[in-house]
Each structure stands twice: as structure tokens, then as C-alpha cells.
Amino acid sequence: MKRWLESLGIPKKLWLFHLVTALTSGIVAGVIMILTVWTIARGNANTDVQIKASIMADNILPSLQFRDNAVAHDILAGLGRDRDILRAKVIEANGETFAEYLPERPGLAKRLRSKDLIRASIPIMDGKDRLGTVELVRDMNSVYRETTIYTMAIGVAMLVSLLVGSLLILRLQRSITVPLANLTRLMKQVSERNDYTHRTEVTSRDELGDLGLSFNHMIEQIQQRDTALGHELSERLRAEEQLAHLAHHDPVTGLPNRHFFRKCTQDLEKLQGSTDHGMALLFIDLDNFKYVNDTFGHDCGDQLLTEVAMRLQGAVRSNDIVVRFGGDEFVVLLQNVRETALALQLAEKLREILTRPLRLNNQEFVVTCSIGVAVAPLHGRSAEELLQNADAAMYHAKSGGKDGVRLWETTMSDQSTARFSMEADLRHAIDRNELEIHYQPIVDLASQKPVGMEALLRWKHPIQGYVSPMVFIPVAEESGLILQIGEWVMMEAFRQVAAWSADFGPLSIAVNVSARQFRSPNFTARADQIARDSGLNRDQIELELTESMVMGHTAEAVRIMHELVDCGFKLSLDDFGTGYSSLSYLKRFPLNKLKIDRSFVSDLPDDAESAAIAEAIAGLAHTLGMQVVAEGIETLEQAAYLADRQCRYGQGYYFSRPLPASRFPAYLAETRARLLLESRQESSRRHT
Ligand SMILES: Nc1nc2c(ncn2[C@@H]2O[C@@H]3COP(=O)(O)O[C@H]4[C@@H](O)[C@H](n5cnc6c(=O)[nH]c(N)nc65)O[C@@H]4COP(=O)(O)O[C@H]3[C@H]2O)c(=O)[nH]1
């Protein structure tokens, strides 16, 4: 029963409740009312018969006194109009019937035998004497009638109230079930379809109305959270995608990066077992990217890289992979290429495409590149091995004059290893006192007097002997060791020249500064501190910069140069004329000297072109208020030629090779003595 009740819906429960309540209360009330009506009707009938009997007793008294029973009978017959009176009788005191009236009613005898009769017996008194008794008998018909009528009225009232109650219940039931059904439908929509757009209609202000409002509010909040969550989720997904893209792609060119390359080659190797199916790897390094980047700024450099990336991608097949491997390094993985001839042919094609002129910042550039090629399985069975070998081949292409393609050969690995071991050895060079500075005099060309010197670094390798700075300075630059080495050179040279200046009078010292040193954040402060510690005057110190390091990021370079000049250092521009000198910039630089590169000096005075260049540089420097130093003077003619063309200073083997510190004082002393002697001889010749 309980289960059955629980399984019923609210409308049916309401109906059941209503029926049970209405019927129970109707029946109870009906029974009580019928009983009450019955009791009252019976009481009324009883009273009525008593009253009638009393009246009859009073009326019949004379008939009894005069013993006229006919009159008595007539009086009794007057009760005949009352349909409920069944018998009226006058009994004398002696018990004999004086008069009796029996109305003519159908079934009177049967009715008189009924148990439900009301009897009234009233004495007929004459004063204090009782003459007889009036006896009336009536049946219960009127009581039954009355009770029946009431019962029917109650029944009708009950039916009407049941009907009205049902209508009310129907309304009540609708006012409950409709909002509940709406809520249920909405909830299903939310839970099954995650659709938060709908709201339930709130029509009442009762608890159900509150429930509807609360539900709508809840949906509203869920919708907002859902939207926010969805937004957040899509943001996060986008960020994750972006991160994944960034982790595997180069932001400048959009090409896959080295991480992508490694992952991709690992996947390929897993898939295909090894590289036996054929794979060629091209390692491409741009030859003059650093110059473009330093001279024309990073934006220009980035444009160049993007253009290179586009050209490479446009030139390979769709299943080949082009990767930006590092700064100006690109790797191209050619799939299903087994023949070295084909790989070389493709590499040559790429080299040719890359060297086609391109325009950046309204200027035309030609970018050359060096390409190393390694082909599987001949030059390596794994992508990593191929990469190393192609890299080594690329180095050889570069050191062989750049702008070329080289196929990997077994001997190359040894040379690459040698480069790495050089870097490792160089790290210990300072600690192991393997570095030395040699000093090359700088001479006043007119008087031939040494006025200063250039510090030139030497590395005395324990096994290889003297290693040229042309070889180890690039390694030091690339590895960052140049910062430490450069500081050591300044410390050693400043200290040394301070000591010689004390003995020989003020001498100037020119120190080469590398690009990396120049751009290091605290270069000026460090140089200033080292100069202070050495005791050497700042105006004796000349820092040699190169064109490429000051032409790029000009504003920043000019700022650093001014910082150095403000500290009291002199600045000179080394190897002038070999780079891509922008003369318009030159006048913005606070330079003290221009150094004519020895390549223009070596062919002097016969080569007209070199002579014109040397002369132009000297003239330009003169116009800009700078002094000129010619490098690489090897002959008297060169010295004389340059001296005649506004070139005040010179250095070169003609005057002296770079000398170790131990021999430099002797050189100074001898030169001075010689010059003194020569000047005395000259003056005595004049006098004679
Ligand atoms: N053929 C010929 N050569 C002559 C003559 N006179 C001088 N030289 C050589 O010319 C180079 C001049 O130095 P540089 O142009 O600054 O070029 C330098 C400079 O760029 C760099 N370098 C040397 N020492 C340092 C240093 O301490 N720091 C930095 N950053 N670079 C250095 O290494 C380069 C090469 O230095 P070195 O091999 O010492 O070569 C030196 C010098 O030995 C001559 O008459 N004929």
C-alpha cells in the first residue's frame, strides 16, 4: 500500500487525499446530522402526540361527564386529519373503552402492530377525580419522512461540496503540478543537453514561485559560470596550443625549431626502424647574417631570416622538413634521398635560391650561405649522427671560403672535435698562464718615433704552440670566454704600459675590443675600474672597435661610445674600409682615430685602387678631425707614401713585429737611441 502510494503522482495523491477527506468528513457529518434530525423529529412527534392527547382530554371531559360517547367519538375523529394518528381511544376509569377512533388508513392493522409507534396517555380529570384516560397512538412516518428529506439534503450538500472541492483541488493541483512539471522539464534540459538558455515561468508568489525564482537564479549562475568556464577553457586550450606551438616553432620565421626536429626524427626512426629508407640532412648557415643583424638592426635580421625560411620552404617537397635550428642556422631534412649526388644537387639548388638578391629596408642584399650535407645511411644511421656530420661539413664549407656546399667526410669529425677541444683548452688558458700579450709599436710616421703600441693577444698552447688569435678569438667570442679574456688583456696591458710609461715617458696603448665585450652591460664600468687599478691615464688608452660592432644598433653604440669617451678613453675604428662603412654614421661617432686596414696598405704605393682608398680614408678622417693610423706597413715606400698623405701614424713589420713584453723595453731603448743618433748625424751633416 505504502509502495503503491509512493508510486502515485502528485495529482493522483491530491485526488485521493481529497476524496478520502471529503468522504470521511461528509459521512461523519452526515451521520451526526441524520441522527440529530432523527432525534429531534422523534422528540417533536412525541411532543405533538402528548399535546394532542391533552387537548383531547380537555375536550372529551364534558362528553365523559354526560356519558355521551357519540360526541366523544366525534371529537376523537377530529384527529383524522392528522395522517400520523393511528388510533385515538378514551378509556374510562374502570378500564372500559368509552370511545375509540380508528382512522381509515390502508394497512392500519399492520401499522398498529409495528414496534416504532409513539404512544401518549393523558388522564381526563374532573377536578381531582380522574374520569378516564385519552390514549393516542401515532406512527413514525413523519419522523422517517423528515429524516429522509434531511438525509437527502445532506447528500446533495455533500455532493455539491465534493464537486466544489474537486474543482478547487483541480486548481490547486494544477497550480502545484504545472510549475513542478516545468521545473522538471527544465532540469532535464539542463542535465541532458547542458542547455542553460531557458527559464521557468514564475506565475505565483508562493513557495513554488520562490522555488522557480531560485531555480532560475541558479541556472543563471550556472550559465554565467559555464560561459566563464567555457571561455577560460578555450583560453587555456588556446594558450596550451600556443605554448605547444612556441615550444616547437620559431617565433620569427614560424618554422619548426630544433625541439620539433628532434621529436620528429625520433618519431620517424621509431616508425621506420632506422634511417635506412634514405634521408639526407642539409645544415645551412648564413654567412653574413651577423653583419646584417649588427649593422641594420634586429628587425632587418628578422626579415632576412623570414625571407630565407620562405625561400627554403618554397624550394623543398611537402614531406621534407625545414627547421630553424639556431640563430642563422637552418636544417633541411630531405626524405627518401639516398644518393649523395642528388643530395648535393638539392643543396646546390637551395644555395643558389638563397643567394638571389633580396630587398630589406629598401636596400638590396645578397646573402650567401654555407651548407653541409650528410646522407643516410652512408654518413650516419641516426638523425643525430647525420646532424653532427652535416654540421661539421658546414663548418668546413665556411672555413673553406663560405658560400659553398660540402659533403661530409670522415676526417671532418676529427676537425670538429678539435674545435670543441680548443674551446675546452681555452677555458683554462688564463689560469694556466698560457696567454701572453705581444706589443706592436705604433710609430709617428714623420719622426719615426714610437708613440705607443697595440696589444695583440697570443695563446701559447702547451701542445700546439702559439695559436693565432685569428683562430682562437672567434672560438672565445662564440663561447663567451672573450669577456674574461678581454678583461685580462686590459688588466695586463694597462699595468704593463703604466710601468713602461714611468721609464720611457707617456706611451699610449691600443687594445682590441670584441663585439661581445663592447655590448656587455657593464663594459664601461669594468674598463674604467681596470684603468683606475692600473694607474694608467685614460688619455693613454685607446680602445679599438670594429665597424660591424658599432654600425648595428647605432644609437646604442653611440651611447656606449660616449660613455667611454666621457670616462676619458680614446676610441679608434679598426680595419676601416673592410666592412660596409656608412660614412654618414661616421660623423656621429666620437672617434679619435681611423685605422686603415693592411689590405689597402700592402699594395701601396703601386696599386692605384689601394692608393685611392688609402688616400680617401686619410682625407675623410682629416675632414672629420680624426687621426689616421695605417696598419701593416712593411716597406719604407709604404711608410713614406702614407706619411705624405695626411696619415700621421703607422704600424707594421717595417717598424717592428709584435714583441713579447720582455723584449719591448729593449726595442724602445734601441729605437730611441737610434733616432737620437740619426738626428745628431743629421744635424752635424747640416752643420758641415
Ligand atoms: N701581414 C702583416 N701583418 C701585420 C703587420 N703588422 C701587424 N700585423 C698583424 O696585423 C694584425 C693587427 O691586428 P688587428 O687588425 O687588430 O687584428 C687582430 C685582432 O682583430 C685580433 N686580436 C688580437 N688580439 C686581440 C685581443 O686582445 N682582443 C681581441 N678582441 N682581438 C684581438 O686578432 C687579429 C689578428 O691579430 P694578429 O694575428 O696578432 O695580427 C695582427 C698583427 O700581428 C704587417 O706588417 N704585415
Side-chain angles (χ1 to χ4, degrees), residues 584-603:
S584 60
Y585 284 144
L586 205 57
K587 62 173 187 275
R588 291 173 54 194
F589 297 151
L591 293 170
N592 191 252
K593 275 184 194 153
L594 282 187
K595 292 188 89 171
I596 305 176
D597 188 68
R598 70 169 183 271
S599 58
F600 304 121
V601 174
S602 58
D603 295 332

Side-chain angles (χ1 to χ4, degrees), residues 88-101:
K89 203 174 175 181
V90 177
I91 302 165
E92 285 182 85
N94 56 6
E96 287 188 8
T97 301
F98 176 69
E100 183 174 18
Y101 169 73

Side-chain angles (χ1 to χ4, degrees), residues 437-438 440 454-458 468-474 477 482 485-486 489-490 511-515 517 544 546 549 574-575 595 597-598 602 631-635 638 651-658:
I437 298 176
H438 286 199
Q440 185 173 41
E454 179 178 0
L456 293 162
L457 187 60
R458 299 286 177 263
S468 164
M470 305 289 270
V471 175
F472 73 83
I473 291 285
E477 279 250 21
I482 195 70
I485 292 175
V489 170
M490 284 197 282
V511 174
N512 287 288
V513 175
S514 84
Q517 255 182 303
E544 288 194 4
T546 59
M549 84 172 70
D574 203 3
D575 307 337
K595 292 188 89 171
D597 188 68
R598 70 169 183 271
S602 58
E631 288 183 316
I633 300 176
E634 294 187 355
T635 63
Q638 289 167 348
Q651 67 183 97
Y653 295 168
Y654 171 67
F655 303 106
S656 167
R657 286 187 172 259

Side-chain angles (χ1 to χ4, degrees), residues 622-675:
H622 198 66
T623 322
L624 293 172
M626 298 174 193
Q627 290 173 341
V628 182
V629 185
E631 288 183 316
I633 300 176
E634 294 187 355
T635 63
L636 175 61
E637 290 74 28
Q638 289 167 348
Y641 181 87
L642 288 160
D644 288 347
R645 283 168 182 74
Q646 298 177 316
C647 182
R648 182 157 179 200
Y649 301 105
Q651 67 183 97
Y653 295 168
Y654 171 67
F655 303 106
S656 167
R657 286 187 172 259
L659 299 169
S662 56
R663 285 175 51 198
F664 202 79
Y667 161 80
L668 280 177
E670 277 165 25
T671 310
R672 286 195 178 182
R674 180 174 54 80
L675 287 174

